Amino acid sequence: PFINAGAIVLADILLKHLSHPEEDFLHFIRNICGNDTINYNEEVAASEREKGYLNAAIANLLKYHHNIENDIERVLQCSVEMSCYDLSKAFLAFANHKQPFTFGDINLTASQVKRINAIMQTCGFYDEAGEFSYLVGLPGKSGVGGGIAAVYPLRYSVAVWSPRLNR
């Protein structure tokens, strides 16, 4: 889910399978980062609702093709706010693709962690994925809020924040 359509489908899956998806997702993020103060940013959520035309169009197309089941407004909720430190901690599990990632009920094999790194390398930066891969060479992910996280395999994860870089 490293591109908009994948994230939208994943949000739909969480809505379908979890009793309290918004709370459960936030609980997972807080636990993996070790920070109970991480929360949703209502200002960002409102901005996304007002100006998220592309994601709404993608969600409508996915709904038309029966790839999402839930209400589009609910599927499009995404506004977790965290620090660069928290973001780097969230990605730390992907820095070691030689180890499985186990966290609560989530169990990823070492092979799956390695595959996630490959997916981040090829599409974690949207239209800039090729350029980032060529210039930086690290698997990672950028987000609409300006957060950029990357992993140096077998070494560390790093995160930075930047204002909007392009349109």
Side-chain angles (χ1 to χ4, degrees), residues 29-36 38 86 89:
I29 295 296
R30 287 173 173 171
N31 282 338
I32 198 170
C33 296
N35 181 350
D36 288 338
I38 294 172
D86 294 326
K89 283 188 76 175

Side-chain angles (χ1 to χ4, degrees), residues 83-106:
S83 70
C84 285
Y85 178 76
D86 294 326
L87 186 58
S88 68
K89 283 188 76 175
F91 276 73
L92 191 56
F94 303 109
N96 189 355
H97 63 270
K98 302 252 183 206
Q99 297 287 328
F101 172 65
T102 302
F103 192 86
D105 293 339
I106 299 169

Side-chain angles (χ1 to χ4, degrees), residues 125-141:
F125 295 92
Y126 303 94
D127 294 343
E128 304 298 324
E131 188 73 9
F132 189 86
S133 184
Y134 176 75
L135 293 174
V136 180
L138 299 176
K141 179 73 183 99

Side-chain angles (χ1 to χ4, degrees), residues 140-159:
K141 179 73 183 99
S142 62
V144 69
I148 300 171
V151 296
Y152 186 132
L154 301 176
R155 305 236 183 205
Y156 57 81
S157 61
V158 62

Side-chain angles (χ1 to χ4, degrees), residues 8-145:
I8 292 167
V9 170
L10 181 60
D12 184 65
I13 290 168
L14 293 176
L15 289 169
K16 179 179 177 182
H17 291 285
L18 298 175
S19 299
H20 307 286
E22 291 88 355
E23 295 86 0
D24 292 345
F25 180 71
L26 192 57
H27 180 72
F28 171 74
I29 295 296
R30 287 173 173 171
N31 282 338
I32 198 170
C33 296
N35 181 350
D36 288 338
T37 66
I38 294 172
N39 216 328
Y40 293 107
N41 182 318
E42 294 304 323
E43 184 180 340
V44 171
S47 174
E48 282 292 305
R49 280 192 297 277
E50 291 173 20
K51 299 176 183 156
Y53 306 118
L54 178 60
N55 284 340
I58 292 168
N60 277 288
L61 184 63
L62 290 165
K63 183 112 177 159
Y64 174 79
H65 287 288
H66 308 288
N67 289 311
I68 61 172
E69 297 176 14
N70 291 283
D71 179 64
I72 289 171
E73 280 290 319
R74 193 148 181 237
V75 170
L76 291 177
Q77 295 299 314
C78 180
S79 59
V80 174
E81 182 175 52
M82 61 176 64
S83 70
C84 285
Y85 178 76
D86 294 326
L87 186 58
S88 68
K89 283 188 76 175
F91 276 73
L92 191 56
F94 303 109
N96 189 355
H97 63 270
K98 302 252 183 206
Q99 297 287 328
F101 172 65
T102 302
F103 192 86
D105 293 339
I106 299 169
N107 297 297
L108 300 176
T109 66
S111 177
Q112 288 170 323
V113 171
K114 190 173 184 178
R115 286 186 174 121
I116 289 170
N117 280 341
I119 294 168
M120 284 193 291
Q121 183 80 35
T122 57
C123 62
F125 295 92
Y126 303 94
D127 294 343
E128 304 298 324
E131 188 73 9
F132 189 86
S133 184
Y134 176 75
L135 293 174
V136 180
L138 299 176
K141 179 73 183 99
S142 62
V144 69

